[in-house]
Amino acid sequence: MKKVIVIGGGVAGLTAAKRLVESGKFEVKLLEGDSRIGGRVHTQAFGDYWIENGAQWVHGEDGNEVFRIANSLKLLDTERNLISVSTDSVFVRESGKVLDQPVHDNVTIILAKILDGPEEDEVEGTVGDWAIKRFNDALEKYPLDSEPTDKSLSTAVLDWIHRFQDNIDGCDNWFQPSLRGQHEYEECEGNPTIAWKSPACYSSLLGVILNGVPITAPTFQPVLPDWIELNKDVQKIELVEGENSGVRITCSDNSQYTADHAICTVSLGVLKHFHKTLFCPPLPESKVKMIETLGIGCVNKLHFDFKTKWWPDSIIGFNFLWNDTEHVAQYWNSDIDDETLKKEIDGLPLWCRNILGFYVVASHPTALNSWITGPASKVMETLTEQEVKDIFMKVCRKFLPSYDIPDPVEFSQTSWFSNRFTKGSYSFRQMNTDAWSSALEEPILGKNNAPVICFAGEATHSKFYSTVHGAIETGVREAKRLINHEN
Ligand SMILES: Cc1cc2nc3c(=O)[nH]c(=O)nc-3n(C[C@H](O)[C@H](O)[C@H](O)COP(=O)(O)OP(=O)(O)OC[C@H]3O[C@@H](n4cnc5c(N)ncnc54)[C@H](O)[C@@H]3O)c2cc1C
C-alpha cells in the first residue's frame, strides 16, 4: 500500500484523509500540530453552553457540501440569517441614542444594496471604492442626516458598514479586496447564513466526516481513529528523490515520517509565514506568488457570559456607531503602528473604534459576542485578557448607558493571528492578486509526474475560498488526485 501523510486536521485534511482510508488503497497518517482537530472549526464549552470560535454559518444551500450533510441529518436551523441578525439589531450612537425606526429602515435598505454585491459589469477597483459609491448613490434616495450640512450620521453609518464588510471579507479594510475577487467567489443559492440547530454545532460536522455520525454539545471532539496524531507540529516537508520520489516530514519533537505522498492543508496564513522554512526544495515561484498576493486578515470573536440576561427579549444585538469619524478613519489603516492604535482618545484606545457591536449568541441564552477585525484586532491580541475584557466592557457601557450591565462571569477571546497554526482568519482576493490560477493547488511533482506534495485548504479553492464547504471540496479534490494517480 502507498503511504500518505496529511498535514493538518481541519476539515480539508480530515476529509482528504478519510476518503483515502475508505479507498482501501493507502496507509494514511494525519499529523495535527494542535492538541485538537477542527482547525478553524472550533466549538468550545462556555459556561453552561457553548460558542463557536471559528466558523459559525453555513453559507447557502445548493451545491454546498456542508448544507447537504447537515441538512440531511436535520442539524440546521434554516430560519436564522446573519443579514437579519445585523439589520434587526439596533443601531446605537455614542450618546446611547438608538436610531429612530425610519432612519434605521433607511440604513438597512442601504446596507442590503451593498450586501447585494457588484453588478456583472462592475469589476474594476476595490470593494471599498465601489461600496462608497453605492452608499452615496443610495443616500440620495434614503437620506440619513436630518440637516444637509451635518453629515455625522451618514459618516458613522458608512464607517459601521465598512467594519461589517471587513468582517465578511476578513480583510484589514475594504480597500484591500478587489471587486474582481467578489465575482470569483461563488455564492451557493439559498439562505446565505444558516445556523446550527442546538445541540448541533459546527463541530458536529467533524464527527460526520470522521465517523459518519454527528457529535453534539457538550461533546466537541469526536472519537479519533488511530491514524490521527495530535501535537505533531510539522516543521519540514522535504521532497525526497530516490528510485521513486517520496516525502520526508519532520516535526518539532524531531519525529520523522516518510511517505509516497503528502497533502499539506495548512492555512494561507501559515504558508505566508513559514513556506520558506517549511518546504525543501523551496516552492516554485508561481506558487509563492499566489501565497504572497492572496490576502488573509484577522477576524476575532469575543464572548461574554453575564449569567443573567440584561437586554430585552426584543433586542438581538447592538450595532455601535462611533461619532469621532476623524479617528475611525485611522484604525483600519494597514500601515498604522501598534503604539498609535494603543493611544487613548477620550479614555479609550484608538483600536477599540473597530468594535462592531454586541450580539446575542444562538447557542447561549446569557452570552453576547462581539467582533473585531484588521490591525485593531491584531493589536488586541497583544494585550492581556483582563485588559481586553475591561476595554470591551467600557465600550459596551459607554454605548448603552441606560442598561445596568453587570461584569461578565466568563470571557473568551480568539487570537487567530497569533495562533501559529492559523496566522489569520480566512483568505480573500486582494487588488494585487492575479486572476485566479491553479498555481496554489497544483501538486509538487516527483519522478514520472507523481503528485508527491499536494495542497488543500480553503484558500486553494477557486470559487468557495474562505468557507468550510470550500475547504471540504479541496480535501475531496486532493484525495481523488491520489486515488486517480494510483489507478
Ligand atoms: C472567525 C472565523 C469565522 C468564520 N466563519 C465562517 C463561517 O461562518 N462559515 C464558513 O463557511 N467559514 C467560516 N470561516 C472559515 C472556515 O472556518 C475555514 O475556511 C475552514 O475551517 C478552513 O478549513 P481548512 O481545513 O482549510 O483549514 P484549517 O481549519 O486552518 O486547518 C488546517 C489545520 O492545519 C493545522 N496546522 C497548521 N500548521 C501546522 C503544522 N505546522 N503542523 C501540523 N498541523 C498544522 C492547524 O492546526 C489546522 O488544524 C471562519 C473562520 C474564522 C477564523
Side-chain angles (χ1 to χ4, degrees):
M1 267 203 211
K2 288 286 171 78
K3 285 188 185 171
V4 182
I5 293 186
V6 176
I7 299 143
V11 290
L14 294 172
T15 304
K18 182 68 182 177
R19 293 271 168 137
L20 292 171
V21 168
E22 280 174 348
S23 76
K25 290 181 161 48
F26 299 91
E27 189 185 319
V28 179
K29 172 82 65 195
L30 185 150
L31 304 175
E32 166 54 52
D34 214 337
S35 55
R36 61 171 181 86
I37 60 159
R40 285 170 278 169
V41 168
H42 184 205
T43 316
Q44 177 194 301
F46 191 61
D48 297 333
Y49 299 88
W50 61 93
I51 53 175
E52 300 289 0
N53 282 326
Q56 184 160 347
W57 313 93
V58 179
H59 295 302
E61 302 174 22
D62 297 349
N64 182 324
E65 188 57 9
V66 179
F67 180 81
R68 191 191 63 75
I69 296 170
N71 195 47
S72 67
L73 295 167
K74 303 201 178 344
L75 302 175
L76 298 177
D77 173 359
T78 44
E79 297 303 306
R80 278 173 68 84
N81 166 330
L82 169 67
I83 312 294
S84 68
V85 170
S86 46
T87 54
D88 293 350
S89 296
V90 291
F91 285 86
V92 197
R93 305 203 71 178
E94 265 182 71
S95 59
K97 187 178 176 333
V98 172
L99 290 194
D100 296 336
Q101 197 60 45
V103 184
H104 176 104
D105 291 345
N106 280 358
V107 172
T108 57
I109 292 170
I110 295 173
L111 177 62
K113 285 183 180 297
I114 291 173
L115 293 175
D116 276 349
E119 303 294 338
E120 251 173 54
D121 60 345
E122 295 176 312
V123 285
E124 297 300 330
T126 69
V127 168
D129 289 330
W130 164 84
I132 291 169
K133 182 174 180 314
R134 187 161 280 197
F135 178 85
N136 287 330
D137 289 349
L139 208 53
E140 286 181 14
K141 197 162 169 201
Y142 305 99
L144 302 178
D145 301 301
S146 48
E147 300 289 330
T149 49
D150 174 12
K151 295 271 179 242
S152 65
L153 180 57
S154 54
T155 311
V157 169
L158 178 64
D159 170 66
W160 184 86
I161 296 177
H162 181 176
R163 278 177 278 145
F164 184 64
Q165 184 70 42
D166 291 350
N167 274 280
I168 294 174
D169 288 332
C171 53
D172 284 358
N173 64 69
W174 62 9
F175 302 111
Q176 286 182 329
S178 66
L179 218 46
R180 192 181 55 206
Q182 305 286 310
H183 288 287
E184 286 171 354
Y185 178 84
E186 201 170 291
E187 306 266 0
C188 297
E189 287 291 314
N191 182 343
T193 41
I194 305 165
W196 294 77
K197 187 164 39 180
S198 168
C201 54
Y202 236 116
S203 291
S204 301
L205 184 65
L206 306 179
V208 182
I209 294 173
L210 275 185
N211 306 319
V213 279
I215 47 169
T216 51
T219 304
F220 305 115
Q221 285 280 289
V223 175
L224 299 187
D226 58 6
W227 44 263
I228 294 184
E229 288 196 42
L230 300 177
N231 302 307
K232 285 290 178 187
D233 179 359
V234 171
Q235 303 264 297
K236 186 74 79 210
I237 304 172
E238 287 171 87
L239 181 71
V240 182
E241 295 289 13
E243 198 177 316
N244 294 310
S245 309
V247 62
R248 181 167 48 235
I249 310 283
T250 309
C251 298
S252 58
D253 60 5
N254 289 326
S255 53
Q256 282 199 332
Y257 301 80
T258 53
D260 301 287
H261 308 275
I263 302 179
C264 176
T265 74
V266 303
S267 72
L268 175 69
V270 171
L271 288 174
K272 273 182 188 287
H273 276 78
F274 303 119
H275 76 86
K276 285 187 187 141
T277 53
L278 192 56
F279 294 94
C280 180
L283 293 176
E285 221 172 274
S286 56
K287 204 180 274 290
V288 171
K289 190 166 179 222
M290 280 312 273
I291 290 170
E292 286 175 351
T293 60
L294 283 168
I296 184 162
C298 178
V299 177
N300 272 315
K301 291 188 195 175
L302 301 99
H303 286 88
F304 306 79
D305 181 4
F306 295 97
K307 214 68 190 167
T308 52
K309 194 172 161 219
W310 51 262
W311 55 95
D313 286 342
S314 58
I315 297 260
I316 58 169
F318 304 94
N319 299 316
F320 292 165
L321 299 175
W322 292 89
N323 288 341
D324 59 347
T325 46
E326 178 202 337
H327 294 117
V328 294
Q330 295 176 25
Y331 66 74
W332 43 257
N333 182 343
S334 297
D335 299 327
I336 199 164
D337 59 77
D338 286 7
E339 285 322 302
T340 311
L341 278 167
K342 286 182 189 166
K343 235 182 234 155
E344 289 212 349
I345 301 149
D346 300 335
L348 283 169
L350 177 61
W351 65 263
C352 77
R353 267 72 180 171
N354 192 287
I355 297 171
L356 191 66
F358 276 70
Y359 305 93
V360 298
V361 179
S363 59
H364 200 307
T366 58
L368 293 181
N369 76 5
S370 188
W371 299 67
I372 188 163
T373 52
S377 189
K378 290 178 191 163
V379 89
M380 181 198 79
E381 290 186 12
T382 66
L383 305 179
T384 66
E385 205 176 275
Q386 187 65 43
E387 285 170 324
V388 174
K389 182 168 72 170
D390 288 350
I391 289 165
F392 271 76
M393 288 314 300
K394 211 168 165 184
V395 169
C396 188
R397 291 186 175 113
K398 175 186 171 76
F399 275 88
L400 306 173
S402 59
Y403 293 95
D404 187 14
I405 304 175
D407 282 333
V409 292
E410 199 160 342
F411 169 71
S412 166
Q413 79 175 81
T414 57
S415 296
W416 290 112
F417 181 70
S418 39
N419 181 337
R420 74 185 200 289
F421 296 123
T422 45
K423 302 302 291 175
S425 46
Y426 35 90
S427 69
F428 64 94
R429 306 277 158 89
Q430 303 200 92
M431 281 303 287
N432 66 345
T433 311
D434 284 341
W436 177 253
S437 82
S438 55
L440 194 59
E441 70 178 69
E442 269 164 20
I444 309 287
L445 301 177
K447 283 203 177 129
N448 304 321
N449 283 337
V452 180
I453 306 175
C454 304
F455 293 82
E458 58 86 6
T460 72
H461 201 291
S462 59
K463 56 182 189 181
F464 293 156
Y465 60 90
S466 78
T467 64
V468 176
H469 56 284
I472 288 185
E473 284 201 0
T474 66
V476 174
R477 182 190 70 210
E478 295 312 313
K480 274 190 184 158
R481 190 191 299 278
L482 295 186
I483 292 167
N484 290 342
H485 177 74
E486 289 308 320
N487 281 340

